[in-house]
Amino acid sequence: MGRRDRMWRADDPTTQGPAAKAPVICPLCERPIPPRAKSSLHHLTPKLKGGARAGTVRLHQICHSAIHARFSEAEIARRLADVDALRTDPEMAQFLAWVRTKPDDFHAATRMTRDRRGAKRDPY
């Protein structure tokens, strides 16, 4: 058997290349993040509030968008600067219960909440 024949044998563990990496788990919704899924890094403390060098976590893009659609940078820095605080927030808990029923690579556009939209328009 030549080298080319060995390269394509699915039942031979020596020809499969490096072992597959363990899937990355979204710490917020606790679903795997497959390579084909949209994902991004979330700064636990927003960069604008001094978190440029602070910790980051990889999240599904829909989970990351949900955070920023619901909360201001100041609110994230003040009371939601860790994953557990985000998970226990009532608004996020409702979103997480919904998104956990979706496939791992699910993505949909996320709109800013009405409360947040109103606060952004009327800063006083």
Side-chain angles (χ1 to χ4, degrees), residues 11-107:
D11 60 340
D12 185 1
T14 62
T15 61
Q16 296 302 305
K21 293 181 182 178
V24 176
I25 303 295
C26 177
L28 198 56
C29 69
E30 299 173 328
R31 298 178 303 143
I33 303 174
R36 68 188 175 280
K38 292 183 178 186
S39 67
S40 60
L41 285 178
H42 171 66
H43 285 83
L44 293 170
T45 302
K47 291 192 292 186
L48 293 173
K49 301 296 180 181
R53 300 198 193 292
T56 60
V57 290
R58 174 139 324 263
L59 301 175
H60 286 103
Q61 184 62 49
I62 192 167
C63 296
H64 193 189
S65 297
I67 294 168
H68 291 285
R70 287 165 174 74
F71 309 109
S72 67
E73 301 286 318
E75 192 172 8
I76 293 170
R78 188 173 50 253
R79 67 179 192 89
L80 300 169
D82 64 57
V83 174
D84 291 330
L86 284 165
R87 258 196 239 128
T88 57
D89 181 82
E91 283 187 66
M92 282 305 295
Q94 185 178 5
F95 165 78
L96 293 172
W98 172 78
V99 83
R100 284 184 181 125
T101 65
K102 306 297 179 209
D104 296 338
D105 60 348
F106 175 77
H107 181 76

